[in-house]
Amino acid sequence: MDYHLKPLGKTCSATGKEFVPGETVHSIIVEENGQLVRLDYSEDAWDGPPESAVGEWKLQVPESATQGPKKIDPDALMQYFEQLYESPNQVQETFLYVLALFLVQKRRLKLDGSRNEDEASYLQLTGTHGEGSFEIRDQNLDESEVEQLQQQLNSQFLEDWE
């Protein structure tokens, strides 16, 4: 049987005081309304486990992990892609192309093929969650241009969605 319990809380269940890295915390599991619930207590608020406790343990609050780069949700990117696709302008067409490449890389778009028309190539794509078909004009960018535009798009996307 699998149990899904929340991780260490940010505050003491008794006092509401925020935990700090290195602090000793007492955690217990109790049953409430047929559900197993985790409660965390600071050392000062700890009087011992209640009789109803299913389990108990003591731990130290870990140091906060250094935050790496924020990850962008591919589904949110897909929504952004669909918005751009509806009404792209000349500048957005290049971003749309780079975004499409990124979504293919993240397996959120699938490349179905390509077609040529009047010396231009078009990527034919579909969304992996059933989104309609999309045709994106190949911008013939070199790798460094794609990387630069991905960084710009990444910065823009993080600013817009924070």
Side-chain angles (χ1 to χ4, degrees):
M1 179 179 276
D2 290 335
Y3 297 101
H4 301 284
L5 300 170
K6 68 177 181 130
L8 173 66
K10 295 187 184 294
T11 59
C12 175
S13 295
T15 66
K17 179 183 144 254
E18 194 167 314
F19 296 131
V20 295
E23 181 178 0
T24 298
V25 173
H26 295 267
S27 296
I28 62 169
I29 303 293
V30 294
E31 186 176 337
E32 291 181 357
N33 301 323
Q35 297 286 324
L36 294 178
V37 177
R38 175 181 178 162
L39 301 172
D40 302 303
Y41 297 92
S42 65
E43 186 77 35
D44 297 338
W46 182 246
D47 292 330
E51 286 185 29
S52 62
V54 176
E56 70 171 292
W57 65 98
K58 187 163 97 172
L59 68 140
Q60 285 194 318
V61 177
E63 295 294 322
S64 58
T66 57
Q67 289 190 349
K70 292 185 178 183
K71 292 189 167 86
I72 297 176
D73 176 26
D75 291 329
L77 267 181
M78 186 66 191
Q79 288 178 346
Y80 189 59
F81 172 81
E82 289 177 305
Q83 289 172 359
L84 280 179
Y85 186 79
E86 292 297 319
S87 58
N89 62 36
Q90 191 67 29
V91 173
Q92 290 174 328
E93 192 173 349
T94 305
F95 276 120
L96 190 61
Y97 173 74
V98 172
L99 185 54
L101 294 178
F102 183 76
L103 288 168
V104 167
Q105 181 183 21
K106 293 293 180 186
R107 292 185 168 90
R108 191 58 186 81
L109 277 177
K110 181 176 67 169
L111 179 61
D112 293 327
S114 63
R115 70 174 183 84
N116 295 318
E117 180 182 305
D118 299 328
E119 296 183 25
S121 295
Y122 293 85
L123 303 177
Q124 297 172 317
L125 307 157
T126 55
T128 56
H129 295 160
E131 296 88 358
S133 60
F134 305 99
E135 282 197 349
I136 307 296
R137 189 168 67 84
D138 189 339
Q139 300 294 307
N140 296 315
L141 302 174
D142 64 39
E143 193 173 320
S144 65
E145 289 175 302
V146 170
E147 191 173 307
Q148 180 184 10
L149 287 169
Q150 277 184 335
Q151 288 174 356
Q152 287 176 3
L153 191 59
N154 197 9
S155 297
Q156 176 186 350
F157 191 76
L158 285 174
E159 286 175 15
D160 289 349
W161 292 85
E162 283 185 338

